[in-house]
Amino acid sequence: MFNVANQLTLCRIFFIPLLVAVFYSPFEWRFFASAALFGLAGITDALDGYVARKYNLTTPFGAFLDPVADKLMVAVALALLIQQHNSILFTIPAIVIICREIVISALREWMAELGKRASVAVSNIGKIKTTLQIIAIVILLAFRKDTYPLFNDIGMVAMYAAAILTLWSMIVYLRAAWPIMSSANNNS
């Protein structure tokens, strides 16, 4: 159960309180350190999946924990950034991303109960969305908008692109699941 892949996933969860503590620390380097921690979490996300597949270390516990760790880390980072930016222009894409994660998690859980979890497996759009989201959050954590406005603008563009891909991937998942949802609803 606690193989190398799952340990990498658990590291992401342990990074969460560390991220918050570093973000709110009184040191000047806190923003770059926060971004580095979040980036490292993103690397462990890619690495745990690679290790699990390459060495056949996939487990039901890992399949459960991996998306939970991802969503927790992203939600916490976005909450920190919402507070820092204190702007509706940032809050809107952050809320889109957080709400999509909740909807898709619930959809996957429900589909798993129906024995149809493979119908809502991770797509390429979802992988691109995740990569863009990680890049946006790293940039926005590292560069304060008042000190580095150009980098903040780049981060915001990446954030909006991630939010658009987030909505697109949610529509793809819902469309894939719709026939199963409809037949399950008709059979009730």
Side-chain angles (χ1 to χ4, degrees):
M1 182 160 106
F2 289 106
N3 61 40
V4 173
N6 290 346
Q7 289 173 3
L8 287 168
T9 302
L10 286 170
C11 281
R12 283 202 306 285
I13 292 173
F14 293 128
F15 284 167
I16 293 169
L18 187 58
L19 173 67
V20 174
V22 168
F23 185 85
Y24 285 111
S25 70
F27 306 111
E28 277 301 309
W29 47 263
R30 66 188 172 155
F31 300 110
F32 291 113
S34 297
L37 273 171
F38 188 84
L40 185 58
I43 291 168
T44 66
D45 181 25
L47 193 56
D48 70 6
Y50 172 77
V51 168
R53 285 184 296 279
K54 179 167 174 93
Y55 298 104
N56 197 25
L57 298 175
T58 57
T59 65
F61 179 69
F64 156 76
L65 192 63
D66 182 63
V68 170
D70 297 344
K71 287 160 185 43
L72 289 173
M73 190 67 166
V74 167
V76 168
L78 289 174
L80 295 172
L81 289 167
I82 287 170
Q83 185 268 327
Q84 177 182 314
H85 281 256
N86 193 23
S87 160
I88 193 164
L89 291 177
F90 182 83
T91 303
I92 288 171
I95 287 174
V96 165
I97 290 168
I98 292 169
C99 289
R100 180 266 188 198
E101 297 303 339
I102 293 168
V103 168
I104 297 305
S105 292
L107 177 64
R108 285 185 179 142
E109 182 178 330
W110 188 57
M111 296 299 279
E113 284 184 26
L114 298 175
K116 304 286 186 180
R117 182 166 174 110
S119 301
V120 287
V122 176
S123 69
N124 286 334
I125 296 168
K127 291 177 183 181
I128 295 167
K129 178 262 322 171
T130 298
T131 302
L132 193 53
Q133 187 174 277
I134 289 169
I135 291 167
I137 292 171
V138 166
I139 292 170
L140 292 167
L141 283 171
F143 302 105
R144 289 184 53 105
K145 64 180 179 178
D146 53 343
T147 311
Y148 301 97
L150 177 61
F151 284 110
N152 183 74
D153 291 346
I154 292 168
M156 288 297 288
V157 168
M159 186 71 169
Y160 271 88
I164 290 166
L165 286 177
T166 293
L167 288 174
W168 183 11
S169 69
M170 183 175 77
I171 291 167
V172 168
Y173 286 127
L174 290 172
R175 287 183 73 194
W178 185 253
I180 297 161
M181 293 177 357
S182 295
S183 68
N185 190 36
N186 291 336
N187 293 337
S188 300

